[in-house]
Amino acid sequence: MAAAKFVPLLLVTLMVGIQNVVGQGAASWCVARSDASSDALQTALDYACGAGADCLPLQSQGLCFLPNTIQAHASYAFNSYYQRRARAPGSCDFAGTGTIATSDPSYGSCVYPSTASAAGGPNTPITTPPMNNPNVPSSTTATPLYGGGNTGGLTPGMSTPFPDSSRAASEATATWFLVLFCSLIISIIS
């Protein structure tokens, strides 16, 4: 019966260990892929800013305006959107132009939030207009606000919806495996 005293400690230790292995709780940021085209980044940047990202720091007087590149502006906007959606599955895809980073991309006075609360939370009202970067060549024809011309669905301006490229399914599987494993250990010890 003395072994039964250690069951809760064993259970907690295993749960903490598996969470660290699958990355739950680890800080992550969403940034623009370095191989994405300027046009694709501009379209995704417009979408992110119009769909709830905090793009005020990207304005000319903002802390993240410099460097004034589409890559830097898209990275900040993508991360704001991703964090405000509490890192929801698929919230860092942006039609293949976003990717997850595990090292903090902040620089100088430009701080990239790493949580929903630091980014203004998932329910912050949209107050930022789309960000049009002057470094991206403009076309001579008028384009819709979000680019692309696709007006339907949840991803205006994107030719395809954002696919779910997250690890959520593997994390859920690992959690269920942990519960099953712990139940087995407890039944053996008891």
Side-chain angles (χ1 to χ4, degrees):
M1 275 321 224
K5 293 179 184 178
F6 296 106
V7 170
L9 180 61
L10 176 65
L11 184 60
V12 169
T13 302
L14 287 172
M15 289 178 70
V16 169
I18 196 73
Q19 285 182 341
N20 289 335
V21 168
V22 299
Q24 292 177 338
S28 63
W29 295 264
C30 179
V31 296
R33 291 176 52 101
S34 59
D35 61 348
S37 74
S38 293
D39 288 339
L41 287 175
Q42 183 65 58
T43 299
L45 172 62
D46 289 345
Y47 174 77
C49 290
D54 176 13
C55 294
L56 289 177
L58 302 175
Q59 300 299 321
S60 61
Q61 299 301 313
L63 295 175
C64 299
F65 177 71
L66 296 175
N68 184 17
T69 65
I70 188 67
Q71 184 79 28
H73 287 189
S75 289
Y76 186 87
F78 289 5
N79 185 64
S80 175
Y81 180 91
Y82 171 68
Q83 300 298 342
R84 283 185 169 198
R85 287 182 176 48
R87 301 184 214 163
S91 64
C92 182
D93 186 71
F94 297 100
T97 61
T99 188
I100 301 293
T102 55
S103 58
D104 188 350
S106 300
Y107 56 91
S109 59
C110 180
V111 178
Y112 281 55
S114 60
T115 64
S117 60
N123 297 319
T124 303
I126 299 169
T127 59
T128 307
M131 181 72 198
N132 292 312
N133 191 310
N135 293 329
V136 175
S138 60
S139 64
T140 57
T141 61
T143 57
L145 179 62
Y146 298 114
N150 177 7
T151 59
L154 298 175
T155 55
M158 300 296 181
S159 58
T160 59
F162 299 141
D164 182 356
S165 59
S166 71
R167 300 182 325 238
S170 62
E171 290 174 359
T173 303
T175 301
W176 280 110
F177 177 74
L178 171 66
V179 170
L180 179 65
F181 180 73
C182 289
S183 298
L184 179 64
I185 295 293
I186 290 170
S187 67
I188 291 171
I189 292 174
S190 300

